[in-house]
Amino acid sequence: MPSESLDGELLKALLDESSLPRAVRGVANNLVELLLQTLSKIPSQDLKFSPPPHFHSALGSAAKTVKFSAPDRVYLVGSAVSGACLKTSPGTGFAVVDVAVEMPKGYFQEKDYLDHRYHAKRLAYLEVLQQHVHRAGWVASVALSAHHADIRKPCLLIRPKKPSGDVCLRLLLTARANAFPASRLLPDKANLRQLEAAGGGDGGNDRLASPHYNQSILEDMFLDEHIKFLRDAAQKAEFLEEACVLLKVWASRRGLLSAPDGFTGFVLSMLMAHLVSTGSKLSPLMDALQLVKCALTLLSNPAMSSGGFWASGAQPQNNMGAWRSAFPFVFVGPCGFVNIGARVSKSAVAEFVHEAALSAAVLERGGRTAFEQVFLVSLHPAARYDVHLHVTVDRNGNSASGNCDTDMVSWRGHEAQASDVVTNALGARAKLIRVQHQPFVNSSDVRQSHQDLVVPLPTKKRKSTEQHDAEEESDDMFTLWIGIILDPENAFRLVDLGPSSDDEKLAKQFRAFWGDRAELRRFKDGRICESVVWDSVPSSQRHHIPALAVEYAVKRNFAAAESVGWSCSLLDPALGVTGKEEDSYKESSPIALIQCLDRLAKRMKEMKDVPLKVINVQPLSAAFRGTDPFPPRPHQLAFGAGIGLGRSNEHMPVCPRTLEVLVQLEGSGRWPENSAAINKTKAAMALKIAEQLRSSYATPTVVSEEAIDVLHEGYAIRLHINSTAGGANNEAAEKHLIKGAAHSGVIATVSARFPAYGPATQVAKRWISAHMLSSHMGDEVIELLVGYLFLHPGAAEPPTSREVAFFRFLDLLASHPWGVLPLFVDPEDEVTLESMHELEKKMDDPDAPAMCISTPYDSSGDLWTRRGPFAVVLKRAQALASRAAERLKVLLQGCNRMASAKPDIDGVKLGDESAWESLFTPALMHYDIVLKLRRAALPFPEHALFTGKQIKRRLVKELGVDSDTFQMAEHGSKRGLKLARMPEKVLTRGPDKARAAMLIGFDPLQCFLREAERRLGGTALIFSDKHGGDLIGVALKPKLAHHRAQLPASLGDFDPLGDFNPPAPPGVDEILDELLYVGNGFIQDAYKGAKW
């Protein structure tokens, strides 16, 4: 084990945290002794049993009798024997230790391997054990569970009483190796009578092979050989147990363990043992990290997985082709009869190979955080898959636990069929497709069986809440989850190209699959092919195309499907995307805005009658790079010479937003040295440019003391003059402007490189603003946080959908140790280890900002965070992000009983119109004062997420006040500001008068916040939503934090003739009155918090 490196220290700490302690293993051994004593006391008896309903088609319902006798052996098996067991089984919260109970050979007859006879007798035997174990004094509870969610293979979950309560014994029934002839259970053998009809044989003598059914018996017969194989391999390789634990931790972090159709801890341990035993790539002399790294590299090769594995010493008992045709993943155990990976599905193999390839690449690349990214970061399916779909299956033809009418349990058949349909529908659009029974997504199969298989044990009456939870889970039991990782190059194409019309067979299959969506088309290159075209989808909803294709294909080709819900539209309402705003969407797109700016820049560069020529025009606003949630729309009055007045007057705001641009002038040595003089000179330059545009092109301009706005093609473009070419003095005066331009360039590069970056950043900004944090966390900070997710995705693919990017954003904000470690946004990987260590040391400074984000243009990392967010605000943001991430994970993956935390989302499911609301609804209960603004006084009230009635209901619910006791603003007036729409009487005066009435770039909310903060003197924190939100939250600082604040005279006593006495902290009523005074005509209502 490496011990002189950071990775070695992290590895040691991880193994200590994840491995089952020796003391717990001792407890497990003691429990096995108690179990042996309990089971050995069971007397022999004639056991009468009736097959359960899922076996009726094979065995009928008539009662049967069999001779029961006590087990031959009871012994510990699995990873707990060798020390490779995890301390906590994924999805359970406790350690699960496997115990084998061997049934006597005389219990079975010679032909019991046919038609589920073995499984029915096995269940009857287990029922007897359950009844006796339940009465044992050391047992707290015993429950029936479907092992690997296979209803044919139940097991017992035994929870002992304290102090051994952190261990769960999973009782697995086994049979002797010679119980049945193994040659009759090979993959090409048929042992199920109900498969006759499917076989189509004359007289019913020909049957289809039943490979999965056969393996369910063989795995019980040869468990001992597998345990011996593991033990022998561990003796050869010193660090094999640690490597197995590390590999299981890696798989658990990604939700790969315990899926009924996926890789289990046992399969991974056997794979590691096999790779070490062969000695081809993995040497027994390697340490744990080297073993796992090499194993991931080998297993990431699809050819390796598809070729199959033969355990060392195994003698082929059949040709490899028969194994490969029967199972997607072949790993024949040392006995030569058992496929250890028989339950692993095709989609699970593809998922494992994909994740192994990503992790192996990170480890091969190395770096300071490689070990952390691969083994310490949790990558749930919600964080890995771009598109999530929930397919509801018809209840009439299915049961919650599945049925046994075919070779596989019905749910495995549904998963395989759905996987094939989705794969065919998406083609090159997807890199990976994973289909699972929803209750087991990122969960565990260690749970009580959903369906009663035996007579219920005598217990106390269950609580109504438990019954309610069971009813809720019943809905999930009839749902398939589909996860898709998209290929960004092909995911959103408009045409799915099919076979040529000359290939009649393939063309017929294509038309049968797509039905009415298929059409024959001639393309520009002369080809005539079948195709599916999605050009009817609006531009604003192109990200829906993969889900639309899957939904159509599933409903047409998967008969069991009832409904399909998908995630692509989940966050659309937060951005106001409805598909009806097609024209405005195109006009405000980054491409259209850049083209508009290029035309203006061309005119500016061609000017001759200016003191200094314009050499470049650089966009600064977020709308140019596609990260503005609500980019400016063309304004009817912002066109030249009356152009644009023919447009609709429905949306004509009084305060159009500006597009900020940087105008770079040529160099000159005649600039003044004083910063104030430089600013005056730049203003004169801007005036000259505006005059030239107005005289040469009739371009309207609006000149004010603060800025100069050019009204060009419907947009108000605000000019910022850059004179850095004039010398060092100019550069110092424009430092912040230069940094802003550098930031804009970096973000524009990221946005161009990753198509999903822009929409993802829009969602993140809207979420920050919806929770009233926008006044504390700047847009630049959010853009850098989201950019980090795309530039440094770790051991995952960069996001291709806004949903997965939003989830990762919430997780990053909630989990990153901001007070200890800076965040390095490094597009070109130029940051050195020395600079990282130096910046980390600065984080120990008491005056260091709460959040530090280092960039190529800001190595200190505090350019955008120097003035916020403060530590208390960041802590609130982290709590909100953590809760939202958990809710989003439940929406995307589906809810299950094994979740450690079950957020209240009021039964909302993926696909519901209101699913997004639980993520964006602000929490008001912790504020001391809540202000309700006049919507008419806001420039863009249509951007608000919630209606006035919804806001009022939330105020009543969270603040605990009656609607009749709301306090009206003392100085409020019904004739307050009205900025939402240009008045009709102004428009009738003509375009020039109407243009003069515009308040370009005016934001009343920001004006109110600045004045309120000035007058409150730092005694409170103010929270607001800048995107149309009509609520403001005020949180009073604790007395220790504001007792020395510099208060204005309105909030403190000041005697100019005597000694100054520090004023007492103002009360909530005083602050409320002050805010009402400042917001006269802007504030509608004011409410005190519930604690007041």
Side-chain angles (χ1 to χ4, degrees), residues 584 675 739 770 800 903 1006:
S584 62
S675 60
K739 295 292 187 180
T800 310
Q1006 297 303 318

Side-chain angles (χ1 to χ4, degrees), residues 45-52 55-68 107 109 111-112 114-125 127-128 193:
Q45 56 186 289
D46 289 332
L47 176 61
K48 189 174 182 180
F49 70 97
S50 297
F55 291 148
H56 283 181
S57 60
L59 302 176
S61 58
K64 300 176 177 19
T65 303
V66 66
K67 183 68 174 179
F68 176 89
Y107 182 69
Q109 296 180 0
K111 298 291 186 179
D112 277 351
L114 297 173
D115 300 322
H116 290 113
R117 298 176 197 170
Y118 168 79
H119 299 93
K121 288 187 175 181
R122 185 182 185 277
L123 175 59
Y125 197 94
E127 176 185 352
V128 176
R193 184 174 58 245

Side-chain angles (χ1 to χ4, degrees), residues 776 870 872-873 876 924-931 1012-1013 1015-1023 1032-1043 1045 1047 1051 1064-1075 1087-1092:
H776 298 275
F870 302 113
V872 63
V873 177
R876 175 175 175 80
L924 306 176
M925 63 184 70
H926 301 294
Y927 293 116
D928 297 291
I929 299 173
V930 176
L931 304 177
E1013 290 175 353
R1015 296 179 74 94
L1016 294 182
T1019 64
L1021 292 174
I1022 304 178
F1023 300 82
I1032 292 179
V1034 181
L1036 303 186
K1037 292 184 179 180
K1039 292 183 179 181
L1040 293 178
H1042 69 194
H1043 74 283
L1047 302 180
L1051 289 180
V1068 65
D1069 292 324
E1070 297 173 284
I1071 292 179
L1072 184 59
D1073 291 340
E1074 192 74 12
L1075 291 172
Y1087 320 119
K1088 294 181 184 179
K1091 64 181 179 182
W1092 301 102

Side-chain angles (χ1 to χ4, degrees), residues 708-730:
I708 295 178
D709 300 318
V710 176
L711 305 184
H712 175 67
E713 297 184 6
Y715 300 100
I717 300 178
R718 179 158 292 179
L719 306 182
H720 295 278
I721 303 299
N722 177 16
S723 60
T724 53
N729 292 331
N730 300 55

